[in-house]
Amino acid sequence: MEIVASALQSAASLFPDERRPYSRARQTVIDENPALQERELHKLAGLATALAAALRSRGVDELAATLAAESGTTVFGIAFTQWIREGEERSLADISATVLRELLTLTATARKGWRRPG
């Protein structure tokens, strides 16, 4: 997940605050067009696939790489949605870090209550 956190921070650098109005307008167009929504989902799936491949190339096993990549892509999507909200002033990097921390907190909490079968 450290690699995913680093990837999220790198991705956030591609979205400086001065691009936020453009990103809001772009998202409005996407939200109004089902074909563009599908294309956006396809792009995110491709991102997850590429991230999983990068993790596997660093020696992460298949299951962990897939879970980390899919989780990282979900974190990015949630953070981006928050970043483009009217009135939002935090950077995408800050929002991504907050969303990732929440995911890690949720998984740590779930792990405490989880009992392995057997």
Side-chain angles (χ1 to χ4, degrees), residues 27-39:
Q27 191 63 48
T28 298
V29 171
I30 291 169
D31 290 345
E32 294 173 357
N33 186 316
L36 293 178
Q37 292 170 20
E38 185 176 334
R39 183 172 183 256

Side-chain angles (χ1 to χ4, degrees), residues 20-99:
R20 194 182 323 232
Y22 167 79
S23 294
R24 284 181 181 136
R26 178 184 177 276
Q27 191 63 48
T28 298
V29 171
I30 291 169
D31 290 345
E32 294 173 357
N33 186 316
L36 293 178
Q37 292 170 20
E38 185 176 334
R39 183 172 183 256
E40 197 73 358
L41 289 173
H42 184 70
K43 286 170 37 180
L44 286 173
L47 179 64
T49 299
L51 182 54
L55 291 169
R56 285 191 305 277
S57 75
R58 292 176 181 234
V60 177
D61 72 64
E62 179 71 30
L63 179 58
T66 301
L67 282 169
E70 293 288 341
S71 297
T73 302
T74 298
V75 166
F76 176 80
I78 292 168
F80 185 82
T81 298
Q82 289 182 4
W83 181 69
I84 61 173
R85 284 188 184 149
E86 278 304 320
E88 180 60 68
E89 295 182 4
R90 295 174 294 164
S91 70
L92 183 55
D94 288 346
I95 297 170
S96 295
T98 298
V99 175

